[in-house]
Amino acid sequence: MSVRRMAVLALLLAGAGLIGALQWRQARTEVTPRPLLYLVADTERELERIPLKLTEVSVEEENQIGAEMARSYGLVPERHENPQEAKIAAYVAEVGEKLAAHAGRKGISYRFFYNPDRGFVNAGALPGGQIVFGRGLLELLETEDELAAILGHEIAHVDKKHCIERLQYELKSRKLGLRGIYALGRPAVFIFQQGYSKEKELEADVAGLGMAIVAGYSAAGAVEVERRFERLRPAAYGGAASPVTEILGIPLASLREYFRSHPPPAERIDALEKEIRARGWDAGRAQRPLAVREFFLAEAAARKARALWSAGNTRGAALAAREAVDRNPQDADLWKLLAQALARDNLATASADFRSVVTAAHPSTAATTQAWNVLTRELWRSGDAAETLNFATAGLERTQGEAELWNHVAVSLAATDPRGAAGKFGPLMRKWPPTGEADFLVAVDRQGLEVLAGRAMATLNYREVMRGEYTATREAELRARMAWWMYRAGKLREAEAEADAAPAGVNDIAAARRILALARTDLGQHRFALETLWRSGSLEGPDAERAIAALIQWRLGQRKEAAVAFQSAAGADNAWMNLRWIRNNYSASAAADFAKMIEGELTRREKEKRERERAEALRRSSRR
Ligand SMILES: [Zn+2]
């Protein structure tokens, strides 16, 4: 075997060994190209100055080494499951290929990889033209010309043989054989962190910009991106956050890697400007926008909205969510977040604000459905039936008429106009015919409104109503819903019968059990009602169960137990302190008793507050 062949083999094996060692090191963690890129990320070292005679490696051999390294590290073939990421990857590759066409060395098979890790704020090149670009770095760019300058820099490291020689130097200077690379304690990372000399970095800057210019880009891109890095530098080292990164939320500490591996931006700018002047390149030429920037801005807006929401800043979250849905009108979760934030920030203006955003954004109906539901629910919980009706009706017009929205239209109609509600509901159904599941749920509400108007009493044939979608569980749910309407109409015996008629085995569902208990306690059968409510044997139920238990205990004269149960329910859901909401959901006699418990709970809270203040005052005075 010739010396040259041996050298190449050693290189190949070393490359594989290095990668193997890396993968071993991060065994069972996600395999990403990141650690490898730390290796090739350039740092300012003078290692190349050690005089070593290097064996010439042919283009074919270099391609082979690069491809092997990339393959071993899972860089080929490139697949991005997320269609947005695939688009970004294709864009980076497209710009890269435009530049690579102007590289000096022919025959290198350039390949461009996109690493969607936001924490990877860097780019790197492997021998043979394997170039990786990290999302964290891409997010900091504003123009395609800036991207071209950085890609050109990486291509230049390959084109000027910096990469392949780096590998050769490393192996030779350490007299590394096949065994040697394994013998190193902290193998690959340590070796490759040494990177390129400042001269080579600046050479890559200038050569890269040259390629970008020939490919039609503005010379301003290279300079401006360095200026931005210079501005970001203090933030990366723990200083004040810059507006750019504050908006984008880039993990700033990751930027340090970039700064460690490159000469200071000021020096790079100097060298670039000198070259631009010497060559007479046009730095005044207009730059092209970065085609994928909108995607990053959209994601940044969504991230910001979620972060503010989690931090409890409802006003900020509402504003950010508004921007986020403008940029991502198809994202149902963002619409939902917008509705939540608006409701929490100021419910009085929330419905008008939400409607104006929907109108302005012209989103698909499907994306906003859950948001309409969320806000409708909040309005209903506030006890404002008229506003609930307005908003839910607007939602019917804008969406496919989801079942929950229909239900809120029905109950808010019932609360605002019990007698006339049925007459108003029918025309709405004709205007926006309910489909799917809404179809049979709406049929129950329509019948319920008839009951409330005192016109109908015959119960529905649920098999017929549900047709092909019939299940016993659904029948139980629909009967509970129907029973609620009867209870609201004061038809307590009928409500009891309806709730009790749920198919055997599923008649224990919570909603039916609650209506049974409510009907029975209104009929004066308090003990039976309590027994019904706690049929499951548990005293710890959801807040509605605890509140209803409180009501029955109150009526049984167990005032202490009632107060405790009510406190617990109101603590879990503050709607129990809202008499307007209670009146819209429960019978008048139940509401009257709840009113007394609310009063008791308010008194208790007031007393507790005073005691806390007294204790606080005592602590303060004893400290003095
Ligand atoms: Zn470099």
Side-chain angles (χ1 to χ4, degrees):
M1 199 184 280
S2 73
V3 174
R4 198 168 144 221
R5 297 265 338 142
M6 274 177 70
V8 171
L9 183 66
L11 273 178
L12 266 174
L13 291 171
L18 167 160
I19 285 153
L22 270 173
Q23 286 182 332
W24 175 81
R25 214 171 60 91
Q26 52 158 0
R28 280 177 205 88
T29 64
E30 196 192 350
V31 176
T32 74
R34 202 172 166 205
L36 182 62
L37 286 160
Y38 289 161
L39 311 187
V40 290
D42 7 26
T43 46
E44 196 183 330
R45 294 293 160 100
E46 304 296 312
L47 200 90
E48 285 96 341
R49 290 174 191 251
I50 300 167
L52 283 174
K53 200 175 178 308
L54 294 181
T55 320
E56 183 78 19
V57 176
S58 75
V59 165
E60 291 73 35
E61 284 160 341
E62 186 181 335
N63 279 340
Q64 200 187 340
I65 291 162
E68 181 66 26
M69 288 177 84
R71 195 161 40 244
S72 308
Y73 215 74
L75 285 178
V76 246
E78 178 136 275
R79 273 192 308 266
H80 291 281
E81 309 233 318
N82 179 325
Q84 277 296 353
E85 278 173 7
K87 262 189 221 167
I88 297 169
Y91 177 63
V92 170
E94 185 195 314
V95 176
E97 276 150 21
K98 253 190 257 178
L99 296 160
H102 303 289
R105 278 207 290 154
K106 295 301 163 199
I108 294 284
S109 38
Y110 284 95
R111 302 183 81 136
F112 298 89
F113 302 97
Y114 170 63
N115 179 354
D117 178 359
R118 304 190 69 236
F120 182 48
V121 192
N122 216 331
L126 290 177
Q130 316 286 333
I131 314 268
V132 182
F133 211 101
R135 170 166 171 172
L137 182 58
L138 193 56
E139 279 195 52
L140 292 174
L141 308 185
E142 286 174 12
T143 68
E144 191 173 303
D145 307 67
E146 294 172 2
L147 172 62
I150 295 177
L151 281 168
H153 174 103
E154 297 306 331
I155 291 168
H157 277 318
V158 178
D159 199 37
K160 301 286 179 193
K161 297 195 180 180
H162 299 170
C163 293
I164 189 69
E165 287 177 1
R166 160 89 272 136
L167 195 57
Q168 288 182 282
Y169 266 111
E170 291 294 348
L171 292 168
K172 222 171 171 184
S173 68
R174 284 159 197 268
K175 299 188 175 61
L176 285 178
L178 176 57
R179 298 268 160 205
I181 195 132
Y182 289 108
L184 284 167
R186 288 159 50 217
V189 178
F190 188 69
I191 294 172
F192 268 81
Q193 266 170 352
Q194 321 215 6
Y196 304 112
S197 64
K198 186 191 288 178
E199 286 75 14
K200 286 189 174 167
E201 283 303 331
L202 297 180
E203 184 188 10
D205 271 349
V206 165
L209 179 56
M211 278 181 255
I213 298 286
V214 185
Y217 290 100
S218 170
V223 178
E224 275 177 22
V225 74
E226 289 307 323
R227 290 219 174 96
R228 188 166 319 120
F229 288 151
E230 194 166 30
R231 285 197 299 275
L232 290 175
R233 209 181 158 90
Y237 289 93
S242 80
V244 183
T245 52
E246 198 186 331
I247 293 161
L248 293 173
I250 300 273
L252 278 179
S254 308
L255 251 172
R256 288 183 214 165
E257 280 162 26
Y258 183 84
F259 290 124
R260 260 198 299 275
S261 58
H262 290 85
E267 286 184 41
R268 300 177 76 180
I269 293 167
D270 266 1
L272 283 166
E273 284 182 333
K274 227 175 267 167
E275 187 76 6
I276 291 167
R277 272 194 306 275
R279 301 252 182 174
W281 285 334
D282 184 7
R285 186 186 176 133
Q287 298 187 52
R288 287 169 231 185
L290 191 75
V292 295
R293 188 155 170 77
E294 180 52 37
F295 166 72
F296 294 137
L297 292 174
E299 272 209 350
R303 249 191 329 271
K304 186 175 171 188
R306 290 197 185 98
L308 288 167
W309 176 252
S310 311
N313 180 346
T314 52
R315 171 64 53 87
L319 287 171
R322 206 171 175 141
E323 192 201 331
V325 296
D326 274 345
R327 292 184 184 275
N328 310 266
Q330 303 307 323
D331 189 328
D333 285 343
L334 287 175
W335 279 105
K336 205 167 138 186
L337 179 60
L338 173 68
Q340 284 170 323
L342 286 171
R344 192 74 62 83
D345 182 45
N346 184 354
L347 194 59
T349 56
S351 61
D353 286 348
F354 181 81
R355 267 184 280 187
S356 76
V357 180
V358 168
T359 310
H362 301 295
S364 84
T365 55
T368 60
T369 303
Q370 282 311 309
W372 284 99
N373 278 336
V374 163
L375 198 41
T376 302
R377 216 177 293 148
E378 290 303 320
L379 290 167
W380 179 247
R381 279 165 50 84
S382 78
D384 189 341
E387 190 51 34
T388 308
L389 179 60
N390 270 335
F391 188 73
T393 309
L396 282 186
E397 191 180 351
R398 278 274 180 181
T399 70
Q400 297 297 316
E402 207 261 345
E404 191 178 339
L405 220 45
W406 272 109
N407 181 239
H408 275 109
V409 169
V411 295
S412 54
L413 265 174
T416 49
D417 181 10
R419 293 261 146 203
K424 292 174 183 168
F425 197 65
L428 295 179
M429 286 176 66
R430 280 191 292 280
K431 201 166 172 190
W432 302 297
T435 55
E437 193 187 36
D439 181 34
F440 52 79
L441 290 167
V442 169
V444 173
D445 288 341
R446 185 182 200 178
Q447 180 81 357
L449 288 165
E450 293 289 333
V451 172
L452 197 66
R455 280 201 290 273
M457 212 53 221
T459 69
L460 293 167
N461 180 336
Y462 293 101
R463 280 181 193 277
E464 210 168 83
V465 167
M466 284 181 272
R467 289 185 294 271
E469 301 194 49
Y470 176 86
T471 65
T473 309
R474 272 205 164 131
E475 180 181 334
E477 284 162 6
L478 293 195
R479 279 191 186 273
R481 193 158 167 151
M482 194 65 224
W484 179 82
W485 282 110
M486 291 165 167
Y487 164 76
R488 289 291 287 135
K491 313 276 188 193
L492 300 176
R493 290 276 172 215
E494 289 85 347
E496 187 185 13
E498 183 72 13
D500 214 17
V506 292
N507 66 350
D508 210 24
I509 70 161
R513 206 168 60 231
R514 285 199 294 268
I515 301 298
L516 267 178
L518 285 164
R520 283 170 181 161
T521 185
D522 273 9
L523 284 164
Q525 304 165 356
H526 306 311
R527 291 197 184 280
F528 188 23
L530 206 54
E531 199 179 290
T532 306
L533 191 65
W534 287 340
R535 198 181 287 158
S536 60
S538 165
L539 298 187
E540 282 300 317
D543 57 89
E545 231 113 298
R546 278 176 275 164
I548 296 167
L551 171 71
I552 302 169
Q553 285 167 326
W554 177 271
R555 287 170 169 179
L556 280 169
Q558 303 168 358
R559 297 290 153 96
K560 221 173 179 167
E561 290 88 339
V564 170
F566 187 75
Q567 182 194 335
S568 159
D573 186 347
N574 207 41
W576 291 104
M577 298 299 283
N578 181 353
L579 199 55
R580 284 215 297 172
W581 173 78
I582 290 173
R583 285 202 186 104
N584 290 339
N585 284 284
Y586 297 89
S587 67
S589 74
D593 288 332
F594 274 123
K596 289 173 206 147
M597 287 190 280
I598 290 172
E599 217 171 282
E601 172 64 7
L602 284 173
T603 310
R604 189 199 63 78
R605 288 182 183 184
E606 188 55 38
K607 197 174 149 210
E608 190 185 75
K609 191 179 153 210
R610 273 201 311 274
E611 275 165 10
R612 223 184 8 249
E613 283 166 357
R614 216 177 7 246
E616 183 60 31
L618 246 149
R619 242 199 316 280
R620 248 175 304 168
S621 65
S622 71
R623 233 184 279 142
R624 237 183 269 132

